[in-house]
Amino acid sequence: MILGKQLLELLRGLGIRRLCIPRGLKCNYYLPQCIAVNLLLGRYALCFGGFGNTTTSRFNDLEVLSLSSMGAIPCDARITKPSDCIASLDLLMDIPRKPHFIIDLSLWDEHTKSEKNELVEQVLASISTVRRYLWDTNLELTNAPSEFLDSLNRFTKGFNHRVIIRSYGPDIKGDAVMLDPEGDCILNETMITGFSTFIIGGIVDKERRVKGETGRLYGALGLNVPRCRIELRGSIIGVPDRINKVIEIVLMTIFETGSIENAVVMAMSKKDRVNRLLYELQRAAYRIRGENGVLLAVTKSMITRINWVNATEKEVELALRKSHVIVLSNDELNKYLSLGIARPGPETHRYVDAK
């Protein structure tokens, strides 16, 4: 995003109002940022001239066309393979120094084989996430063992990157924080904009449930920075724990939403949404005494309020099933309340009809 905006300014300064790009340049995020990343990686070059045949998008006063050798519309410049460009234009981009993300891999050897594979995948996903907003050098991998590097190379055949990789620990510059789901402080928007560096443990515990691993890593690294957790309305339940998702939450808060809560909700997976709904349903449900024990129940209007995580209808149904919460009409619930066999749960008051 930052590089994309810089690119637009640089093109404007060169008098480029019509840019042709090849069909092979596929982007699933902000196109100017994607172009800037590809130029920095050396995959493509910027050259004067070229022809296009179809306008694909516009960014303020820049018209983007599909590059074609048979095109009839002249372009001020084109994006093409370096080998097809006799004299390329060098664009001096101001690479942002912060935010800077450090993934420390000191605990690599303690992972199972499948967890190691998952960890490599999350690191690769983190590179893609950082590229949507910044540049590869805003991501650093520290204490990277040779086995991790071998695995990374196997996963990344044909994949160029400029991520900083070190065999030793992090060299922290500026204000830093370690992101830890068991941290003793809660990360907020002021902290996110104030910190320069965010340290994340390279930890995947899908097959090993070990508490306090990030705290143990913190001690092993000899850090003296805050350890903060990301919460969602007072709980870490439903907050994504994948490394790339944690990075995404921070970046979205800075560059898009300005709100951690909105960023977390946007970053949640189906599993995260269902888990959070499960938690909310069990706390919001009325307790109804029956012959076979206590039933948990909510009304349809309560579900609408409980579903502030924007879950789909099927996800809501799954959460209801897993939480064993039944749905009653308002009349049915009022009957149980009048009989004195129903009582509110600890959070029911948050989701009943406003008076």
Side-chain angles (χ1 to χ4, degrees):
M1 184 176 291
I2 288 182
L3 297 180
K5 291 178 179 179
Q6 281 189 36
L7 176 66
L8 293 178
E9 288 296 322
L10 290 169
L11 293 177
R12 187 175 296 112
L14 291 169
I16 296 170
R17 298 291 182 270
R18 186 178 286 155
L19 178 69
C20 285
I21 65 171
R23 290 190 177 91
L25 204 168
K26 304 296 183 183
C27 296
N28 59 3
Y29 53 95
Y30 185 52
L31 180 60
Q33 175 77 12
C34 182
I35 293 172
V37 167
N38 276 279
L39 290 173
L40 286 171
L41 287 170
R43 291 174 179 163
Y44 291 94
L46 177 68
C47 310
F48 279 123
F51 289 87
N53 54 15
T54 307
T55 298
T56 59
S57 52
R58 291 179 184 273
F59 299 91
N60 298 326
D61 55 352
L62 179 71
E63 181 183 5
V64 180
L65 290 83
S66 178
L67 181 66
S68 172
S69 58
M70 304 296 291
I73 305 172
C75 288
D76 299 316
R78 69 188 186 279
I79 301 294
T80 186
K81 292 291 184 182
S83 57
D84 297 331
C85 187
I86 297 174
S88 61
L89 293 166
D90 291 327
L91 299 177
L92 297 178
M93 295 190 190
D94 184 14
I95 306 299
R97 294 186 178 182
K98 63 178 188 177
H100 189 70
F101 297 92
I102 296 175
I103 302 173
D104 189 84
L105 298 157
S106 296
L107 302 184
W108 168 264
D109 289 333
E110 298 185 20
H111 291 75
T112 65
K113 182 178 180 180
S114 63
E115 287 174 340
K116 288 177 178 177
N117 290 338
E118 174 69 21
L119 182 48
V120 173
E121 289 178 7
Q122 290 188 27
V123 168
L124 289 174
S126 297
I127 297 173
S128 297
T129 298
V130 168
R131 283 180 177 176
R132 284 166 46 194
Y133 302 88
L134 303 165
W135 171 234
D136 290 23
T137 52
N138 290 97
L139 180 61
E140 182 177 346
L141 310 177
T142 59
N143 286 312
S146 57
E147 185 186 21
F148 166 80
L149 297 176
D150 290 342
S151 298
L152 185 67
N153 290 334
R154 284 199 303 273
F155 274 77
T156 58
K157 283 184 178 178
F159 177 79
N160 296 326
H161 67 83
R162 301 292 186 272
V163 171
I164 300 168
I165 300 178
R166 306 189 192 281
S167 60
Y168 50 88
D171 179 17
I172 300 170
K173 297 176 182 177
D175 294 330
V177 61
M178 186 160 203
L179 301 181
D180 180 355
E182 297 174 80
D184 53 11
C185 70
I186 302 171
L187 194 71
N188 60 38
E189 290 84 358
T190 302
M191 291 176 177
I192 282 183
T193 55
F195 287 121
S196 300
T197 301
F198 298 84
I199 307 164
I200 303 167
I203 299 168
V204 172
D205 60 356
K206 291 197 170 183
E207 296 182 4
R208 306 161 300 113
R209 287 298 171 185
V210 184
K211 279 193 168 287
E213 283 197 308
T214 305
R216 184 160 61 88
L217 176 61
Y218 179 92
L221 293 175
L223 297 175
N224 185 27
V225 300
R227 280 173 55 207
C228 296
R229 63 189 184 276
I230 299 174
E231 281 194 353
L232 183 59
R233 298 196 183 185
S235 173
I236 64 169
I237 294 175
V239 175
D241 60 359
R242 286 176 58 91
I243 297 167
N244 55 295
K245 286 292 183 179
V246 172
I247 293 174
E248 182 179 0
I249 290 168
V250 172
L251 289 172
M252 278 201 295
T253 302
I254 295 172
F255 297 110
E256 293 189 49
T257 66
S259 160
I260 291 180
E261 179 174 312
N262 291 343
V264 171
V265 171
M266 290 171 65
M268 293 171 87
S269 65
K270 173 185 175 181
K271 180 181 177 182
D272 295 325
R273 288 190 294 271
V274 170
N275 284 342
R276 186 57 189 235
L277 273 178
L278 216 158
Y279 171 80
E280 296 290 336
L281 284 165
Q282 291 177 332
R283 289 168 60 81
Y286 284 90
R287 274 63 175 160
I288 302 175
R289 290 197 318 274
E291 294 180 359
N292 299 318
V294 177
L295 294 175
L296 301 180
V298 295
T299 62
K300 286 185 179 179
S301 60
M302 287 176 67
I303 291 177
T304 302
R305 294 182 176 89
I306 290 168
N307 186 22
W308 48 266
V309 297
N310 301 324
T312 65
E313 187 176 333
K314 287 186 178 180
E315 290 168 355
V316 172
E317 291 173 359
L318 177 59
L320 285 166
R321 233 177 14 252
K322 294 182 74 170
S323 63
H324 304 291
V325 172
I326 61 173
V327 181
L328 301 177
S329 68
N330 287 331
D331 289 342
E332 288 175 312
L333 177 61
N334 288 332
K335 181 182 74 173
Y336 291 129
L337 288 170
S338 65
L339 291 172
I341 60 175
R343 61 181 176 81
E347 296 294 331
T348 305
H349 65 280
R350 293 173 55 192
Y351 301 111
V352 294
D353 292 334
K355 301 296 184 184

